Amino acid sequence: MTHPSEAAGHEPVVYVVDDDASVRAALEDLLASVGLCARSFASPRDFLAQEPADAPGCLVLDVRMPGQSGMDFHRQMLELGIALPVVFITGHGDIAMGVEAMKNGAIEFLTKPFRDQSLLDAIQHGIQKDRARREQAAQAAALRARWDGLNAGEQDVVRLVVQGLLNKQIAARLDVSEITVKVRRGHAMRKMQAASLAELVRLTERLGL
């Protein structure tokens, strides 16, 4: 079922990185059979060369490939800030490798042969996790935009309000009239979409102020 936020062309995308063309083709067919869009690549370099879709996603990554291994590429992803959830697949895995992958944040580590449903379940989990991350990032960006929409005087008042200072104390601190503080406070509450002081405090905490 399509998530409401994906109705406007943001359907999930599953990226497949495997040097074996037959494996890529098989995975593309499997994903297509359950209505998932797939993009496949023969190497991590090919994957990095493309522009990622603006949509929730998951990366199915082979462990052993010529050149850069899947494990090495996963570590590089962390360094590059690529937040796609990763599902490892391998025909040559061992317990230590699987433990390392999971410690580094992989969703699953599947050893061939594995059940198609096991892979699909892991991919769906990855997509849900990425969808939640994207929604949190969008909310954080929207909140930051609201804060940036306040002028300097309004931001000064908010910083002191959330510290518990009264309007009279804020006026003295900023060397302005109490009426000016009330006006700035009202404008800031409206722009921040805060219905109460408690909500304004929560918003500033989320902003890290």
Side-chain angles (χ1 to χ4, degrees):
M1 185 174 72
T2 300
H3 192 270
S5 66
E6 294 160 7
H10 294 283
E11 291 81 5
V13 177
V14 181
Y15 305 90
V16 177
V17 178
D18 194 305
D19 63 301
D20 189 327
S22 64
V23 172
R24 296 198 302 272
L27 291 178
E28 288 175 2
D29 289 344
L30 174 63
L31 294 167
S33 73
V34 294
L36 285 172
C37 174
R39 295 185 183 179
S40 62
F41 307 89
S43 69
R45 177 180 294 181
D46 290 347
F47 170 78
L48 289 176
Q50 58 87 48
E51 187 71 25
D54 181 18
C58 182
L59 173 61
V60 178
L61 184 60
D62 187 23
V63 170
R64 295 197 175 180
M65 293 177 286
Q68 187 177 30
S69 73
M71 298 292 287
D72 287 342
F73 180 57
H74 190 212
R75 286 188 285 268
Q76 183 185 7
M77 287 174 61
L78 299 176
E79 295 169 359
L80 294 175
I82 300 174
L84 273 177
V86 172
V87 176
F88 278 108
I89 57 174
T90 180
H92 311 281
D94 56 41
I95 294 176
M97 195 178 291
V99 169
E100 180 186 352
M102 302 300 279
K103 281 184 176 179
N104 287 336
I107 295 294
E108 186 60 274
F109 190 90
L110 298 174
T111 303
K112 302 171 186 175
F114 48 77
R115 293 173 53 248
D116 288 349
Q117 193 58 49
S118 296
L119 176 60
L120 293 174
D121 288 347
I123 288 171
Q124 288 293 352
H125 177 47
I127 289 172
Q128 290 168 9
K129 184 176 180 180
D130 196 45
R131 181 183 289 129
R133 177 192 63 81
R134 288 169 54 84
E135 289 178 350
Q136 289 172 2
Q139 291 169 6
L143 178 57
R144 173 56 63 177
R146 296 206 297 269
W147 172 255
D148 290 343
L150 272 59
N151 62 39
E154 292 163 352
Q155 290 182 352
D156 288 341
V157 167
V158 168
R159 288 191 178 96
L160 296 175
V161 165
V162 300
Q163 291 177 25
L165 273 67
L166 301 175
N167 287 345
K168 183 177 182 179
Q169 295 171 313
I170 295 172
R173 182 78 65 87
L174 298 179
D175 195 22
V176 297
S177 71
E178 195 170 342
I179 292 177
T180 297
V181 172
K182 290 179 180 178
V183 170
R184 291 179 181 176
R185 180 172 177 165
H187 287 170
M189 294 282 285
R190 177 178 54 79
K191 291 179 181 179
M192 291 296 291
Q193 301 175 24
S196 66
L197 175 58
E199 186 175 358
L200 183 64
V201 170
R202 286 195 296 271
L203 293 175
T204 57
E205 287 176 346
R206 286 172 55 191
L207 285 164
L209 300 178

